Amino acid sequence: TSQNLQKVSSFVEEKPTHCSFSIESILGLEHKKDGIPAVKPHRPWMNTGNNFGEDTNLYLQDPVISCERPLFHGNNYPMLEERVLKCEKYFSATERLTYKRELSWYRGRRPRTAFTRNQIEVLENVFRVNSYPGIDVREELAHKLDLDEDRIQIWFQNRRAKQKRSHRESQFLMVKNTLTSNLLE
Amino acid sequence: TSQNLQKVSSFVEEKPTHCSFSIESILGLEHKKDGIPAVKPHRPWMNTGNNFGEDTNLYLQDPVISCERPLFHGNNYPMLEERVLKCEKYFSATERLTYKRELSWYRGRRPRTAFTRNQIEVLENVFRVNSYPGIDVREELAHKLDLDEDRIQIWFQNRRAKQKRSHRESQFLMVKNTLTSNLLE
DNA sequence: TTCTAATCTAATGAA
DNA sequence: TTCATTAGATTAGT
């Protein structure tokens, strides 16, 4: 059964066929050893074809899984992670950085964008007035700042999260101060 | 509500003074006057009670009181009212809509469900076989995994979206690679 | 170390 | 239902 399940991949357009499996049989697979999700992460900036075929290393990023340490064994990728972990003990910071980069590369993370001072300034100014720019505003910003619209959207998402975080923190401080001054009276 | 909004208005900080280009041109100013409709969203997981009516000053309560009922993360968020206020003056109907949407979220977005590793594994296994489970399968899953049937349904919706996204992505890359290699020949 | 760009996905509402 | 978008949580680069 496990083999049958693994044959199904996301490359094939699956029809909502009626399932003849019982849930018990599916639930019975809970303790299956390797559960590589046959799903590709969204990597719009990757241009070449080495995304396909045997390069399954790219599909292993999954936060849910990475919460729990040792999920995927028997692939190339966990070897890398082991090496990174060993780094902590035996290797220099520089070497650790190299391995981290290598790990990131295999995982297919977009290189971190370094915004210029001017770009940040404009984005902040717009954010003050409108922290939820629609697609039209984002496109215009992207054109004027010479950035992808995706970067703009992500920037606003993170900026909103930051605002919310700082707001929460200031409220916490307010409560703390109130309690403190009440105690001192 | 308008009284509450006026109370908050004094906390609104000043406008950005300098910008590299016209913000008006970005925001595309439109001044429509329709108010925010008092639509109460469906919140089956909430205690149907007093606090979430249209004209409650929930957002202006004393922080101490608010912190004593940590029902949802966003229960203190007066900034939102500020932005709704600003909406009236500066934003287009479309952009105001997003604020209204946020307001309803703020008023009671369901706390994010953190599925366990085992739940994910079972759901993925079922998904491989049947990505459109009927109500009977969903109910059975809900019972076996100790989740609401609603969560199961939403999970499958999002999972299908994810699959579709990655499928589109691979199709796009496939076409692109074909074109590229044809050009190189 | 802090800050934040990037990622993943549960939740939401509109179509 | 799909679809686009959001919030929230997390990972990871500087």
Side-chain angles (χ1 to χ4, degrees):
Chain A
T1 315
S2 157
Q3 280 180 340
N4 287 335
L5 290 178
Q6 293 227 334
K7 276 184 197 168
V8 183
S9 86
S10 65
F11 296 102
V12 184
E13 189 69 44
E14 268 184 89
K15 291 301 172 120
T17 54
H18 184 66
C19 169
S20 58
F21 294 78
S22 75
I23 291 212
E24 271 72 17
S25 71
I26 293 167
L27 295 180
L29 297 176
E30 286 177 22
H31 307 297
K32 175 163 80 73
K33 283 298 192 293
D34 54 345
I36 298 177
V39 179
K40 302 177 58 179
H42 193 231
R43 305 275 182 250
W45 64 92
M46 287 195 161
N47 45 357
T48 65
N50 51 19
N51 253 355
F52 295 106
E54 300 77 41
D55 200 354
T56 48
N57 289 331
L58 289 171
Y59 315 147
L60 293 176
Q61 182 169 12
D62 188 342
V64 176
I65 287 162
S66 57
C67 299
E68 310 262 351
R69 269 299 147 125
L71 239 198
F72 299 135
H73 292 304
N75 294 296
N76 296 331
Y77 157 71
M79 298 289 287
L80 237 181
E81 187 165 40
E82 273 181 30
R83 275 154 66 197
V84 171
L85 290 179
K86 278 185 184 172
C87 277
E88 312 246 340
K89 274 161 64 177
Y90 304 113
F91 295 157
S92 73
T94 311
E95 287 167 320
R96 269 209 302 277
L97 192 60
T98 304
Y99 284 117
K100 268 188 168 179
R101 285 226 178 92
E102 199 179 347
L103 184 59
S104 274
W105 174 258
Y106 276 110
R107 283 185 157 169
R109 179 176 270 248
R110 166 190 286 277
R112 190 185 173 97
T113 304
F115 296 111
T116 69
R117 183 183 302 270
N118 180 56
Q119 286 168 337
I120 293 286
E121 192 181 350
V122 173
L123 289 170
E124 285 286 354
N125 285 335
V126 175
F127 183 83
R128 280 190 204 117
V129 186
N130 179 7
S131 51
Y132 289 83
I135 180 60
D136 45 346
V137 177
R138 293 201 307 267
E139 288 285 7
E140 189 171 348
L141 274 172
H143 177 253
K144 299 223 178 210
L145 297 180
D146 192 27
L147 291 165
D148 285 346
E149 186 271 325
D150 264 10
R151 292 319 94 216
I152 307 287
Q153 179 152 17
I154 295 293
W155 188 90
F156 275 89
Q157 282 174 11
N158 284 316
R159 189 62 186 76
R160 287 194 297 268
K162 179 183 174 184
Q163 178 178 268
K164 199 158 193 174
R165 202 164 49 240
S166 67
H167 182 255
R168 267 199 300 262
E169 278 168 15
S170 67
Q171 278 215 329
F172 171 73
L173 286 181
M174 235 159 68
V175 173
K176 193 177 154 196
N177 289 336
T178 305
L179 291 177
T180 304
S181 51
N182 282 348
L183 283 176
L184 289 179
E185 276 172 8
Chain B
T1 303
S2 100
Q3 283 175 346
N4 290 335
L5 291 177
Q6 292 215 333
K7 270 194 237 168
V8 184
S9 66
S10 55
F11 297 119
V12 177
E13 75 279 11
E14 45 264 67
K15 299 297 181 302
T17 54
H18 169 70
C19 187
S20 303
F21 53 93
S22 159
I23 287 189
E24 285 75 15
S25 72
I26 294 176
L27 296 180
L29 295 178
E30 293 174 14
H31 304 267
K32 291 183 69 177
K33 298 299 180 191
D34 55 330
I36 299 177
V39 177
K40 197 169 182 180
H42 187 227
R43 305 281 182 241
W45 62 92
M46 281 185 150
N47 300 336
T48 63
N50 34 16
N51 357 4
F52 295 103
E54 171 61 20
D55 44 8
T56 172
N57 56 352
L58 171 69
Y59 321 120
L60 299 172
Q61 281 174 336
D62 187 289
V64 179
I65 294 175
S66 302
C67 281
E68 281 173 354
R69 341 175 245 138
L71 253 188
F72 303 107
H73 320 297
N75 264 355
N76 295 305
Y77 203 28
M79 297 286 286
L80 194 72
E81 296 281 357
E82 284 179 25
R83 295 213 295 275
V84 171
L85 225 200
K86 286 184 183 176
C87 272
E88 301 274 333
K89 273 168 70 179
Y90 302 110
F91 294 160
S92 71
T94 306
E95 285 163 330
R96 270 213 304 283
L97 188 63
T98 67
Y99 286 95
K100 281 188 259 178
R101 203 188 297 160
E102 194 199 14
L103 184 60
S104 71
W105 280 340
Y106 157 64
R107 285 187 153 162
R109 192 187 175 93
R110 167 190 290 276
R112 189 187 173 95
T113 303
F115 295 112
T116 69
R117 183 182 165 196
N118 181 57
Q119 286 167 338
I120 293 285
E121 200 175 343
V122 174
L123 289 169
E124 286 285 354
N125 286 336
V126 175
F127 183 83
R128 287 196 192 108
V129 187
N130 179 11
S131 52
Y132 286 85
I135 180 61
D136 47 345
V137 178
R138 292 202 305 268
E139 288 285 9
E140 192 171 347
L141 273 172
H143 178 252
K144 302 230 177 209
L145 297 179
D146 193 26
L147 291 164
D148 286 345
E149 186 271 326
D150 266 8
R151 293 317 94 214
I152 308 286
Q153 176 149 16
I154 293 293
W155 187 90
F156 274 89
Q157 282 173 12
N158 284 317
R159 189 60 187 77
R160 285 194 296 268
K162 180 181 175 184
Q163 186 184 47
K164 201 159 193 171
R165 199 166 54 237
S166 56
H167 183 255
R168 265 201 304 265
E169 188 64 38
S170 63
Q171 292 280 49
F172 170 73
L173 286 177
M174 202 119 77
V175 172
K176 195 176 165 192
N177 289 332
T178 305
L179 291 177
T180 303
S181 49
N182 283 348
L183 282 178
L184 289 179
E185 278 170 6

